[in-house]
Amino acid sequence: MCEKELVVDSFIRSIINASRAKKRIITLCIDSLFIMLAFWLALIVRLDSLEPLKSINNWLLLALLIPTSLSAFIKLGLYRAVLRYMNSQALWAIILGTLITTVSLVLLAFFTGINIPRTMPFIFAWLCLLTVGGSRILVRAIIGKIMTNNKESVIIYGAGSAGRQLATGLNAGPEYFVSAFIDDDTAKHGSIVQGIPVIAFKDVQELIEKRNATKVLLAMPSVSRARRKEVLAQLEPLSIKVLSVPGMADVIEGKAQLSEFREVEIEDLLGRDPVTPKTDLMAANITNKVVMVTGAGGSIGSELCRQIIKQNPVKIILFERSEIALYSIEKELCEYVAHNQLSIELIPIMGSVQRINRLETVMLAFGVHTVYHAAAYKHVPLVEHNVVEGVRNNVFGTYYAAKAAVNAKVETFVLISTDKAVRPTNVMGATKRMAELVLQGLAQEQGAKHNTRFCMVRFGNVLGSSGSVVPLFRRQIKEGGPITLTHPDITRFFMTIPEAAQLVIQAGAMGKGGDVFVLDMGDSVKIKDLATKMIRLSGFEIKSESNPHGDIEILCTGLRPGEKLFEELLIGDNVEQTTHERIMTANEVMLPLKELNVFIESLDAACHNFDHEKIRQLLLDAPTSFNPTDGICDLVWNARYENSREHISGCNVVNLPKSGKGAIL
């Protein structure tokens, strides 16, 4: 920018930053000059002569006209309008003010007896509109140009109502200006909306390079996830940061602002639209009943509580071992109850599912009708490293909770299982399959010795849960990489936490006894493809051998102990559809109750004796389809084994002296 341009820019900015009073005085003076100019030009143009300038009567008429017209503009609120945000209301004020000024001119000329040409007021009106109105439009354009010089260029995908509102808010703010709209409607291509061009998607790359756009904002809050997935697939190769605008429902409810941008939700990348839950199934085991959730502070447990409270139970027992997790979920639910003026009693209970007396006492004390058993260890490598605790919590925790439910005459017991229980290659999966066998075994006595309905719901990974890969990838991208994954071909099923919780509740309502329900997880997702999409939609390039100048590298660290390349939801092909489109039921292998009790007793003894070899053998002998990919990885067991080897080795070593002195005879 040259020195002259800098001076002009500095002058304009000084006016922009001046006080409101100074701006109004300046505007009044300028409008006075414009009215004077319009008056003389109208006379000169009409009479084609400069003689009117010599008439004292004309000067007197002008002296009366200027304060009259300015008063009209003031009354109409023209000087309250901010130039850079001038809208149609200000334009109407100019038109009406000009009309009043023109009528005043005619009346003043009539009552003062000053002769003016009949057509002169019409010329004056047009010139007044041109100068007073046109000057404001010009100034607004200049200010807009100056203000956008230091703003970040963005593109809005969607020229609908949400996109237009967003553009208005952004252009008025100090950070962004909108270079263009992208819209799927071909009828809008080439048009101008709010001064912003609407372009087709094929022209995006050229626009990004031309306008140096840094972000694409998705203003499509009402479209389906399937459509958003298609849009994101189109944007992914551009390597431009993509952000999402919150839905209008969240904006109306005060949960978000339209200008509050979010990272692209991983749900949009999956493209799965959630199915509306069936109200009768959601309410069947909850409404007007006492409900207990074990592991209430966990990812699944806490979401179950959020869904349960919406169905108006009498009481919710929050059973949780972690003090901070219990405090957090209780506080959240208390706020929800208070805000919605509900009469639901929240009962926070600290305790471990490995203590049957604690479980049974709680269930009896509060008269529990339904139990959702979400307490479990789920992190595969950690359970591999802590086998005994994994077996105690996942197998015996389920066994004790189920036995307590039977003794307390609980109506329905629902186990939250996992796809890792299908042909498990790790201890965590084997323990969850063993937990399923426990419930299937106890279900055999239903009707004879008890009336508790047992069922289990098996599903894959949930988005955003503790230990989930998505938050990890986002953190790694923010830190500049690299993104780490265990294997380039690894795949997983994904589902949102709310959808998983809703389906668990609905499946529990359909259970007859011993049912294994399998949730429709959609298509499996290749984790490397997921990482690639997240990098590119964050506006970065992937660094690789073919692209060494990229931003973020994807590193494969190797499969962790017990980790599978892909997960399954069914052991066999014996599956039946239920009345719900996303819930199926599987007929799996079961253990007779007598054999189950033998396994439980032997497993208990092995855990007590810290006999990992026995534990592994029992998990292999049970119908779990356990096929471990690694040896025993328990940290304590391996440490003891290494210490014992060193001890034995040390006992067999005889240190001989270098000479005969000191030799032991």
Side-chain angles (χ1 to χ4, degrees):
M1 193 179 288
C2 66
E3 187 177 347
K4 190 175 181 180
E5 289 176 331
L6 285 171
V7 171
V8 172
D9 184 70
S10 177
F11 175 72
I12 294 173
R13 287 185 181 276
S14 65
I15 295 175
I16 294 171
N17 297 325
S19 64
R20 291 286 300 150
K22 288 182 179 179
K23 288 178 182 177
R24 286 176 180 174
I25 292 170
I26 293 170
T27 308
L28 283 167
C29 293
I30 293 172
D31 284 346
S32 300
L33 292 173
F34 284 146
I35 294 166
M36 185 186 299
L37 181 65
F39 180 83
W40 290 121
L41 280 175
L43 283 173
I44 293 169
V45 169
R46 175 64 184 83
L47 300 173
D48 196 21
S49 171
L50 296 176
E51 287 299 318
L53 291 169
K54 300 176 182 178
S55 174
I56 296 175
N57 289 337
N58 290 340
W59 284 100
L60 175 63
L61 182 59
L62 179 61
L64 295 170
L65 180 64
I66 288 174
T68 304
S69 66
L70 292 178
S71 299
F73 285 132
I74 291 170
K75 289 289 184 183
L76 292 168
L78 181 61
Y79 300 106
R80 292 196 299 270
V82 182
L83 276 177
R84 74 182 82 172
Y85 310 131
M86 192 176 68
N87 53 20
S88 58
Q89 187 178 353
L91 293 175
W92 277 113
I94 294 169
I95 293 170
L96 191 57
T98 301
L99 181 62
I100 294 170
T101 301
T102 305
V103 172
S104 300
L105 171 62
V106 174
L107 292 174
L108 287 169
F110 176 78
F111 286 112
T112 57
I114 300 171
N115 293 322
I116 57 173
R118 292 180 180 178
T119 56
M120 182 265 182
F122 296 99
I123 300 171
F124 169 79
W126 282 110
L127 290 171
C128 195
L129 278 174
L130 184 65
T131 53
V132 176
S135 63
R136 280 166 167 77
I137 294 171
L138 180 63
V139 170
R140 181 183 175 182
I142 293 170
I143 291 173
K145 180 66 176 174
I146 292 171
M147 297 302 289
T148 57
N149 286 339
N150 298 321
K151 287 186 177 182
E152 190 176 342
S153 174
V154 297
I155 299 168
I156 295 177
Y157 201 118
S161 59
R164 294 194 299 272
Q165 291 178 54
L166 178 61
T168 302
L170 292 180
N171 287 334
E175 296 178 342
Y176 305 100
F177 79 94
V178 182
S179 298
F181 287 112
I182 307 171
D183 203 276
D184 299 326
D185 188 356
T186 54
K188 294 179 181 178
H189 295 168
S191 61
I192 305 292
V193 177
Q194 298 179 178
I196 303 167
V198 182
I199 65 170
F201 181 81
K202 61 182 178 65
D203 301 322
V204 172
Q205 186 63 55
E206 182 183 349
L207 183 72
I208 292 172
E209 295 172 357
K210 185 178 178 181
R211 302 287 182 90
N212 293 320
T214 57
K215 294 182 178 73
V216 173
L217 309 178
L218 296 182
M220 306 182 300
S222 59
V223 301
S224 67
R225 281 182 182 158
R227 176 57 191 147
R228 291 173 75 88
K229 182 183 179 182
E230 293 174 3
V231 171
L232 291 171
Q234 288 180 304
L235 294 169
E236 182 192 336
L238 300 177
S239 294
I240 188 171
K241 190 166 188 176
V242 180
L243 298 172
S244 186
V245 178
M248 294 306 297
D250 292 337
V251 175
I252 293 167
E253 292 173 7
K255 297 178 182 178
Q257 297 180 356
L258 196 60
S259 57
E260 182 183 306
F261 310 138
R262 301 172 177 173
E263 298 283 343
V264 173
E265 299 293 337
I266 201 67
E267 297 94 311
D268 297 331
L269 296 178
L270 301 179
R272 259 170 56 98
D273 290 311
V275 175
T276 304
K278 297 184 178 182
T279 53
D280 57 331
L281 293 177
M282 290 292 292
N285 292 331
I286 298 172
T287 303
N288 298 324
K289 293 190 176 184
V290 179
V291 182
M292 178 174 175
V293 181
T294 66
S299 303
I300 297 296
S302 59
E303 185 59 35
L304 278 169
C305 293
R306 296 183 192 101
Q307 299 294 336
I308 289 167
I309 203 168
K310 296 176 182 177
Q311 304 302 320
N312 290 315
V314 177
K315 300 175 184 177
I316 304 179
I317 292 93
L318 311 172
F319 194 89
E320 174 60 55
R321 186 180 63 175
S322 168
E323 182 184 27
I324 184 63
L326 182 60
Y327 168 79
S328 299
I329 187 62
E330 186 207 10
K331 187 173 183 298
E332 180 186 335
L333 296 180
C334 280
E335 290 174 356
Y336 181 88
V337 169
H339 183 264
N340 293 279
Q341 298 179 342
L342 303 175
S343 59
I344 300 171
E345 187 179 354
L346 300 174
I347 304 168
I349 301 292
M350 292 183 63
S352 170
V353 291
Q354 297 182 40
R355 293 168 59 193
I356 188 171
N357 60 327
R358 176 68 166 168
L359 288 163
E360 187 175 331
T361 303
V362 170
M363 292 178 189
L364 285 170
F366 298 104
V368 174
H369 297 102
T370 306
V371 173
Y372 293 98
H373 183 58
Y377 290 139
K378 66 171 189 175
H379 197 273
V380 170
L382 284 179
V383 175
E384 286 294 305
H385 295 320
N386 300 272
V387 173
V388 171
E389 284 304 304
V391 172
R392 284 289 186 198
N393 204 53
N394 293 359
V395 179
F396 288 95
T398 303
Y399 179 71
Y400 295 149
K403 290 286 287 185
V406 169
N407 296 337
K409 295 180 172 57
V410 170
E411 295 174 1
T412 305
F413 187 102
V414 183
L415 168 67
I416 314 302
S417 191
T418 172
D419 57 358
K420 293 174 178 61
V422 179
R423 282 183 277 273
T425 58
N426 50 70
V427 175
M428 194 282 278
T431 58
K432 292 298 285 186
R433 177 58 186 140
M434 199 71 199
E436 292 181 354
L437 289 170
V438 166
L439 293 196
Q440 288 175 312
L442 291 173
Q444 296 171 31
E445 294 185 333
Q446 184 183 343
K449 294 186 177 181
H450 64 83
N451 293 313
T452 304
R453 289 188 304 115
F454 292 104
C455 62
M456 50 229 81
V457 185
R458 192 186 287 166
F459 56 90
N461 297 272
V462 289
L463 297 168
S465 65
S466 58
S468 175
V469 70
V470 175
L472 172 65
F473 285 176
R474 281 190 173 142
R475 179 178 63 79
Q476 290 176 332
I477 290 171
K478 285 181 180 179
E479 293 173 353
I483 279 184
T484 55
L485 55 98
T486 56
H487 196 281
D489 298 323
I490 196 167
T491 63
R492 289 292 183 268
F493 292 102
F494 285 102
M495 180 179 283
T496 66
I497 294 179
E499 185 180 10
Q502 289 170 3
L503 290 173
V504 165
I505 293 170
Q506 293 174 90
M510 293 189 291
K512 298 174 183 176
D515 311 79
V516 178
F517 292 106
V518 180
L519 303 187
D520 176 11
M521 301 291 296
D523 298 326
S524 63
V525 178
K526 196 171 181 178
I527 304 300
K528 188 177 181 180
D529 292 345
L530 183 64
T532 301
K533 289 177 180 179
M534 290 180 69
I535 291 171
R536 287 177 173 167
L537 292 172
S538 298
F540 300 110
E541 289 281 351
I542 297 170
K543 186 178 181 181
S544 61
E545 291 183 1
S546 59
N547 185 23
H549 301 293
D551 304 298
I552 296 175
E553 187 179 6
I554 298 176
L555 293 179
C556 294
T557 57
L559 291 173
R560 297 171 297 181
E563 192 170 34
K564 296 171 74 174
L565 271 179
F566 60 92
E567 303 289 1
E568 306 164 274
L569 290 167
L570 294 170
I571 296 174
D573 298 325
N574 196 359
V575 63
E576 298 175 6
Q577 188 63 51
T578 66
T579 55
H580 197 289
E581 58 188 290
R582 291 254 172 111
I583 302 175
M584 299 170 289
T585 181
N587 295 312
E588 306 284 29
V589 178
M590 300 171 58
L591 265 179
L593 191 58
K594 288 184 179 180
E595 292 184 27
L596 176 68
N597 289 331
V598 172
F599 270 102
I600 292 294
E601 291 174 6
S602 299
L603 198 58
D604 186 25
C607 288
H608 181 76
N609 296 324
F610 218 71
D611 189 349
H612 285 78
E613 292 174 333
K614 182 68 174 178
I615 293 171
R616 170 160 290 201
Q617 192 58 53
L618 287 167
L619 293 176
L620 287 167
D621 292 341
T624 60
S625 301
F626 183 34
N627 184 24
T629 55
D630 300 275
I632 297 173
C633 301
D634 188 275
L635 297 176
V636 178
W637 188 84
N638 280 316
R640 288 176 60 185
Y641 179 74
E642 289 296 325
N643 289 337
S644 64
R645 283 185 60 189
E646 290 177 5
H647 178 71
I648 293 169
S649 176
C651 291
N652 291 333
V653 172
V654 178
N655 295 315
L656 297 176
K658 292 181 180 180
S659 63
K661 292 181 180 180
I664 299 174
L665 301 176

